[in-house]
Amino acid sequence: MFDLITGKARHIPSKPGVPLLVSMSAQLALVGAIVAPVLFFVGALPEVPTMMAFVAEAPAPPPPPPPPAPPAAKTPTPPARPAPTTGAAPIEAPAAIQPERSIDPGDIGVPGGVEGGIPGGVVGGVVGGLPSDIPPPPPPPAPAAPRAPIRVGGQIQAPALAKRVEPVYPDVAVSARIRGVVILEANVDKDGRVVEVKVLRTANVLLDAAAITAVRQWQYRPLILNGLPEPFVLTVVLTFDLRDS
C-alpha cells in the first residue's frame, strides 16, 4: 500500500509461462529417474511358470482277499429211538381187546426173583449170571528195597557206645613187639548191634583179627532220625602199643 502511495509500485509479469515449463520439466525428469530402474529390474526377473506338475508311480494294487472258509461239517443227528412200549401205559385206547397170551410154565418166575433173571437160576443171584472168565487177582506189591545205612559224620553224630570190649593183644604180637593202628568200618543195625566189620587200614594180620573180634561185641545206642531208628555206619580206630613197665 505504501508503494502505491509513494508511486514505486512493482508490476507482476502478466505471462508466467516460463516458470511453469521449467517446473514440469523438473518433475518429468524426477519421475523418469525413479521409474527407469524399476522397469530394468522387473525385466530381469525370471518368468514364473504358470503350472507345475509332479508325476509319481501308481500304487501297487491290494492283495486279493482270502478265499472263504469251507462250511463246517454238520454232525448227523442220531435217529430217534422208539419209546419202549413194554410195561408202559398206552397213549391211545386200543380199537379191540386182544385175548391174553398163554404163559409157558417154564417162564413163570419164583418169589424173590428179579425181572430179567434166567429161568432155573438161584434166588438172590446176579442178573445175567456170573461171568465165566474171572480175572486173576492183582500181584502183591513188590517189597520195598532196604534202605542203605546212614553214614555218621557232619551234622549226624554217632550214638553213645553202651558196651565196649577192649581188644586182646595177641601174645605172639607182644613177643614180636608188633605195634600199629587199625582202622575199621562197622555197620550197626537199628538196635545198635554191630553186624559187620571191615578193615580199612591194616597194621598186622594178628592185630587186625584182634580188633575185629573186639568191635563185633560192641553195642551202641539206636540212631533215631525223624522218630524212627535207622542203621548206620561209622569208623573205628584202634591203636596197639607196647609200653615197657
Side-chain angles (χ1 to χ4, degrees), residues 85-244:
T85 57
T86 304
I91 300 175
E92 298 179 358
I97 300 176
Q98 301 292 336
E100 294 184 358
R101 184 176 59 88
S102 59
I103 301 175
D104 188 0
D107 294 340
I108 299 176
V110 295
V114 295
E115 183 180 355
I118 301 175
V122 180
V123 177
V126 181
V127 177
L130 296 175
S132 58
D133 297 334
I134 300 177
R147 295 182 56 180
I150 299 174
R151 182 169 294 276
V152 174
Q155 297 181 355
I156 301 178
Q157 300 295 329
L161 186 60
K163 177 184 178 182
R164 179 186 176 94
V165 177
E166 296 295 338
V168 178
Y169 215 124
D171 296 337
V172 178
V174 173
S175 301
R177 305 191 64 81
I178 299 174
R179 65 186 67 186
V181 177
V182 180
I183 301 178
L184 305 175
E185 183 182 75
N187 289 343
V188 185
D189 61 6
K190 297 180 179 181
D191 299 329
R193 296 189 300 267
V194 178
V195 295
E196 184 181 358
V197 180
K198 181 172 61 176
V199 178
L200 298 180
R201 177 180 174 183
T202 180
N204 184 271
V205 177
L206 299 176
L207 301 182
D208 297 345
I212 293 174
T213 303
V215 173
R216 283 186 179 274
Q217 303 177 49
W218 289 7
Q219 181 74 30
Y220 287 88
R221 300 286 184 184
L223 177 63
I224 305 300
L225 294 178
N226 299 326
L228 297 175
E230 297 289 345
F232 59 94
V233 179
L234 76 163
T235 303
V236 179
V237 179
L238 296 178
T239 303
F240 291 86
D241 191 13
L242 292 175
R243 296 182 181 180
D244 296 333

